[in-house]
C-alpha cells in the first residue's frame, strides 16, 4: 500500500462524457436556428481553408484572434428554402453572429491566459504571446499527467493569499466556462483539505452527495497536493469518466505531475519577478537621469560672481539638490536643500521643493517670505511626514549685498583667507507645521570672499570652527581645517573639496554650493 494513498469507495454514479468545444459553444445549434429563421443554410466547416464549391455564396473564417482559423462559417445554395429572406439580409445577420461568437472566443482565450498569469502569483503585465505560452504549458502538463493514468480531464486549483478558497487556474477536458466559475471555499472541500495535508486522495466511485465534495461531476478522480519546497500552492485533480481504482503507481505519477506544475509555477513567478525588477530598475535609472539633468550645469549669466554646486545621493535617487537662477531685478538666487526621505520619495520631495521655490521666488522679494510660501506648499500637499531642509539666498552682483534664510539644519559659511563665519543656525524644518518662524541674515560678500552653502541628512552637526564656535556648522574642526586651503580658491575647487570631506562622514544625501566673489 502507498503510505499517502487514501482510497475512498462510494456508490456508483452515472458515466459523464465531457462535451467538446463545438458543443460547448453551441455553434451547431446557432447555425440550425439561423437556417430556420432565414431559410438559408448556415454551416460550420472545420479547417483553416474554406471549401470553395460552386454553390458557395458566402464564407468567413471563425477566428478567436490568435493563430490559424479553426474553421469557417458558410452559406451555400444546398438546402435553400423557398421562403428564404433576402440574401443580403441573411449575410448581414450571419456576419453579426460571427462577430458575437468570435468575441466570445476571444473572451474565453483572455480568461484562460489570465488564469495562468494569476497562477504564477505575480501581478505583472505580460505580452499576449508569453501569457499564451505559459497557459499552454500548464494545460499540456496536466493533460499529459491525466492521459498517463487513463483520466479524461484535469484541473488545477490554487489557494488565495488568505488560504480560504481554491480557484481553478488551468483545466483540460473541461468546458472553458469553468474558468469563470467562482472560487471554491476551502472549508467545505474535504478532499482538497486532506490533499493539502500531504495525502493523495483517490475517489474510485464518487457519490455526488458524499462528504468529499469533488469539484467536478465525474465518476472517479484522484486529488494530489501542489506544493513547492516550503509552500503549499493548491491541488491537482485528475478525473475519469468511469468508475475505477487508482494504483499506487498511478497515484505516484499524479504526484510527480503536481510537483512539475509547482516547479513551473515557481519558475514563472521568479522569471516575472526578475522581469519586473529589471523594468523597475530601468524606470529608476530614467528618473535618476532626469533628476541629474534638472540640476544646473551652466554658470548663471552674472558678472563678478563664480558659482558652482554639487549634489550627491547615497542611492541612485535621493533628496539632495542645489539650484541657481537670476531674478528679474538682476540678483542671483541660489539654494541648497534635501528631503529627509531617501530614494524615490526623497527625489519626489526634492523636485517639489525646487519647483515651489522657483515659483514663489518670482513673486516674493525676501528670502524668508519665499521659504514661508514653500513651507505652506509642502504643508498643504503632504501629511506632515515629509520634513525637508532648505537654504535660500539672493546676492546682488553689483555690490555684494547678500540676504539668506534657512529652515532645517543647513550650513552657510562666509569665508576668506583670514576668517570663517557661520551665518545660519539650525531651526524647524519645512513641512512640519503651517506657521514657521524664519529670520533673514544680511551680509556683504567682498572681493576674494566665498559663500559656502551645504547640508545633508545623516551626518553629524557640530558647533566648531578654526578660531571660534561656528553654531550650525556641519563639519568637525579637523575637517574644517582640511578645507581651509580652499577658502579663497575658485568656487568649483571649493565645492569639490567640500564634497570629498563630506563623503568621509556622510551616510546619506548631501549637497553643496559655493559663490566666489572675484571683484567689482
Amino acid at each position: 500500500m502507498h503510505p499517502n494513498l487514501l482510497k475512498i469507495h462510494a456508490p456508483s454514479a452515472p458515466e459523464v462524457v465531457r462535451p467538446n468545444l463545438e458543443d460547448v459553444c453551441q455553434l451547431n445549434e446557432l447555425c440550425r436556428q439561423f437556417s430556420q429563421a432565414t431559410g438559408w443554410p448556415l454551416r460550420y466547416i472545420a479547417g483553416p481553408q474554406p471549401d470553395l464549391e460552386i454553390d458557395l455564396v458566402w464564407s468567413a473564417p471563425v477566428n478567436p484572434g490568435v493563430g490559424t482559423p479553426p474553421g469557417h462559417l458558410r452559406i451555400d445554395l444546398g438546402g435553400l428554402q423557398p421562403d428564404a429572406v433576402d440574401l443580403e439580409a441573411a449575410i448581414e445577420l450571419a456576419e453579426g453572429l460571427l462577430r458575437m461568437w468570435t468575441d466570445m472566443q476571444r473572451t474565453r482565450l483572455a480568461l484562460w491566459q489570465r488564469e495562468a498569469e494569476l497562477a504564477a502569483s505575480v501581478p505583472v503585465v505580460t505580452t499576449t504571446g508569453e501569457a499564451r505560452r505559459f497557459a499552454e504549458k500548464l494545460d499540456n502538463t496536466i493533460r499529459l499527467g491525466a492521459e498517463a493514468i487513463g483520466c479524461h480531464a484535469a484541473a488545477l486549483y490554487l489557494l488565495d493569499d488568505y488560504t480560504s478558497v481554491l480557484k481553478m487556474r488551468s483545466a483540460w477536458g473541461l468546458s472553458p466556462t469553468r474558468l469563470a466559475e467562482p472560487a471554491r471555499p476551502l472549508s467545505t472541500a474535504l478532499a482538497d483539505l486532506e490533499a493539502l495535508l500531504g495525502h493523495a486522495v483517490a475517489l474510485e466511485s464518487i457519490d455526488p452527495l458524499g462528504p468529499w465534495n469533488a469539484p467536478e461531476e465525474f465518476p472517479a478522480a484522484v486529488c494530489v497536493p501542489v506544493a513547492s519546497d516550503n509552500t503549499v500552492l493548491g491541488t491537482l485533480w485528475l478525473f475519469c469518466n468511469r468508475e475505477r481504482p487508482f494504483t499506487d503507481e498511478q497515484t505516484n505519477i499524479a504526484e510527480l505531475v503536481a510537483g512539475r506544475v509547482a516547479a513551473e509555477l515557481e519558475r514563472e513567478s521568479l522569471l516575472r519577478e526578475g522581469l519586473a525588477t529589471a523594468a523597475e530598475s530601468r524606470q529608476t535609472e530614467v528618473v535618476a537621469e532626469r533628476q541629474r539633468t534638472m540640476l544646473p550645469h551652466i554658470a548663471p549669466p552674472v558678472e563678478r560672481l563664480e558659482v558652482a554646486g554639487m549634489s550627491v545621493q547615497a542611492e541612485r535617487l535621493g533628496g539632495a539638490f542645489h539650484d541657481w537662477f537670476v531674478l528679474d531685478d538682476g540678483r542671483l538666487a541660489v539654494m541648497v536643500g534635501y528631503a529627509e526621505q531617501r530614494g524615490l520619495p526623497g527625489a519626489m520631495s526634492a523636485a517639489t521643493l525646487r519647483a515651489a521655490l522657483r515659483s514663489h521666488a518670482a513673486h516674493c522679494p525676501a528670502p524668508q517670505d519665499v521659504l514661508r510660501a514653500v513651507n505652506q506648499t509642502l504643508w498643504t500637499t503632504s501629511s506632515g511626514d515629509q520634513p525637508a531642509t532648505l537654504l535660500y539666498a539672493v546676492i546682488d552682483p553689483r555690490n555684494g549685498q547678500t540676504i539668506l534664510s534657512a529652515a532645517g539644519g543647513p550650513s552657510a559659511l562666509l569665508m576668506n583667507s583670514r576668517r570663517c563665519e557661520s551665518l545660519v543656525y539650525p531651526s524647524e524644518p519645512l513641512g512640519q507645521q503651517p506657521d514657521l518662524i524664519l529670520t533673514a541674515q544680511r551680509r556683504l560678500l567682498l572681493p576674494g570672499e566665498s559663500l559656502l552653502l551645504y547640508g545633508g541628512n545623516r551626518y553629524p552637526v557640530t558647533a566648531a570652527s578654526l578660531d571660534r564656535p561656528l553654531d550650525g556648522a556641519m563639519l568637525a574642526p579637523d575637517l574644517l581645517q582640511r578645507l581651509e586651503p580652499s577658502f579663497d580658491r575658485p568656487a568649483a575647487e571649493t565645492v569639490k573639496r567640500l564634497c570629498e570631506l563630506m563623503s568621509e562622514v556622510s551616510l546619506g544625501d548631501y549637497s553643496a554650493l559655493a559663490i566666489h566673489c572675484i571683484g567689482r
Side-chain angles (χ1 to χ4, degrees):
M1 292 293 291
H2 191 283
N4 288 330
L5 176 58
L6 181 64
K7 293 189 175 181
I8 307 299
H9 300 269
S12 62
E15 181 174 325
V16 178
V17 179
R18 310 313 298 171
N20 59 37
L21 180 60
E22 292 179 20
D23 290 336
V24 169
C25 298
Q26 298 182 340
L27 186 57
N28 291 333
E29 176 65 17
L30 187 66
C31 292
R32 187 190 67 80
Q33 293 179 1
F34 176 91
S35 300
Q36 184 177 353
T38 65
W40 289 91
L42 179 67
R43 299 185 179 92
Y44 171 70
I45 307 298
Q49 298 296 329
D51 187 6
L52 300 177
E53 298 179 358
I54 296 177
D55 60 352
L56 178 67
V57 296
W58 176 83
S59 177
V62 173
N63 193 339
V66 178
T68 304
H72 287 70
L73 285 181
R74 57 174 291 163
I75 299 175
D76 53 39
L77 299 176
L80 177 64
Q81 300 177 19
D83 57 347
V85 302
D86 180 69
L87 175 61
E88 185 176 342
I91 291 177
E92 184 177 355
L93 177 59
E95 289 175 343
L97 293 176
L98 177 61
R99 287 193 297 270
M100 180 187 69
W101 191 85
T102 300
D103 288 342
M104 180 176 63
Q105 287 295 88
R106 286 173 175 165
T107 301
R108 285 175 174 164
L109 177 63
L111 174 63
W112 172 63
Q113 295 177 164
R114 183 55 180 160
E115 292 296 339
E117 292 177 0
L118 293 174
S121 301
V122 182
V124 299
V125 177
T126 59
T127 65
T128 301
E130 291 172 344
R132 182 180 178 86
R133 283 191 293 273
F134 182 58
E136 290 175 344
K137 184 182 296 185
L138 282 182
D139 286 6
N140 287 334
T141 300
I142 64 176
R143 174 184 63 82
L144 292 173
E147 292 176 344
I149 64 172
C151 286
H152 304 87
L156 172 66
Y157 298 89
L158 296 183
L159 290 164
D160 67 332
D161 292 338
Y162 302 99
T163 318
S164 60
V165 296
L166 285 159
K167 179 69 173 68
M168 181 189 288
R169 297 301 187 190
S170 182
W172 169 75
L174 300 176
S175 167
T177 59
R178 295 293 295 121
L179 291 171
E181 292 294 324
R184 297 186 293 123
L186 181 60
S187 58
T188 59
L190 184 58
D192 295 270
L193 285 169
E194 187 69 25
L196 292 173
L197 293 175
H199 308 131
V201 178
L203 305 176
E204 298 180 351
S205 180
I206 298 178
D207 180 2
L209 302 178
W212 295 101
N213 199 9
E216 300 293 331
E217 295 179 356
F218 280 85
V222 60
C223 177
V224 292
V226 177
S228 62
D229 291 339
N230 51 17
T231 305
V232 177
L233 303 175
T235 57
L236 174 64
W237 282 81
L238 306 175
F239 304 103
C240 188
N241 59 11
R242 59 180 175 82
E243 294 182 3
R244 53 161 290 185
F246 292 94
T247 66
D248 293 347
E249 180 181 358
Q250 290 171 333
T251 306
N252 287 336
I253 291 175
E255 290 176 334
L256 289 175
V257 172
R260 173 66 182 273
V261 170
E264 291 291 349
L265 292 173
E266 195 167 47
R267 177 183 176 276
E268 187 71 11
S269 176
L270 292 174
L271 176 62
R272 295 186 183 187
E273 285 179 356
L275 292 174
T277 300
E280 182 179 347
S281 179
R282 289 193 297 270
Q283 293 172 2
T284 300
E285 187 55 42
V286 170
V287 176
E289 179 61 26
R290 174 61 176 166
Q291 186 180 33
R292 287 191 292 269
T293 58
M294 289 180 66
L295 297 174
H297 299 283
I298 300 176
V302 294
E303 298 180 354
R304 307 181 186 90
L305 296 178
E306 277 186 350
V307 183
M310 184 178 296
S311 294
V312 178
Q313 318 296 352
E315 303 169 7
R316 281 189 292 179
L317 291 170
F321 69 98
H322 66 277
D323 196 11
W324 59 66
F325 53 94
V326 179
L327 298 171
D328 292 340
D329 58 8
R331 292 184 299 169
L332 173 65
V334 295
M335 72 178 89
V336 293
Y338 60 90
E340 292 295 338
Q341 305 100 319
R342 299 177 67 172
L344 181 58
M348 295 174 62
S349 295
T352 300
L353 285 171
R354 177 180 179 274
L357 192 145
R358 275 183 168 255
S359 176
H360 293 303
H363 308 287
C364 302
Q368 65 271 28
D369 294 336
V370 173
L371 291 189
R372 290 192 188 98
V374 172
N375 180 69
Q376 282 289 334
T377 298
L378 195 61
W379 171 261
T380 55
T381 57
S382 70
S383 57
D385 59 348
Q386 300 177 15
T389 284
L390 190 59
L391 191 155
Y392 175 57
V394 292
I395 308 161
D396 192 334
R398 294 164 294 187
N399 53 27
Q401 289 289 341
T402 301
I403 308 174
L404 70 162
S405 185
S411 291
L413 301 178
L414 183 61
M415 42 191 201
N416 55 35
S417 59
R418 301 178 303 277
R419 65 187 183 91
C420 178
E421 179 185 1
S422 177
L423 302 183
V424 299
Y425 301 90
S427 63
E428 287 290 327
L430 297 174
Q432 296 293 280
Q433 55 187 1
D435 298 320
L436 196 60
I437 300 176
L438 296 168
T439 61
Q441 300 289 330
R442 296 176 179 269
R443 290 293 188 277
L444 190 64
L445 185 62
L446 301 174
E449 290 185 333
S450 295
L451 179 63
L452 188 59
L453 315 176
Y454 59 97
N457 54 14
R458 300 202 181 186
Y459 61 88
V461 178
T462 62
S465 71
L466 299 178
D467 51 10
R468 66 180 185 83
L470 280 179
D471 295 333
M474 303 181 75
L475 294 177
D478 59 326
L479 295 182
L480 280 173
Q481 290 174 358
R482 292 162 60 186
L483 180 64
E484 182 181 6
S486 302
F487 280 1
D488 57 354
R489 304 296 298 169
E493 294 184 20
T494 303
V495 165
K496 181 179 178 181
R497 181 56 177 161
L498 175 59
C499 288
E500 291 174 353
L501 297 175
M502 293 174 71
S503 66
E504 298 179 9
V505 295
S506 173
L507 299 177
D509 312 328
Y510 56 88
S511 59
L513 190 147
I515 305 99
H516 182 64
C517 183
I518 57 176
R520 298 193 238 291

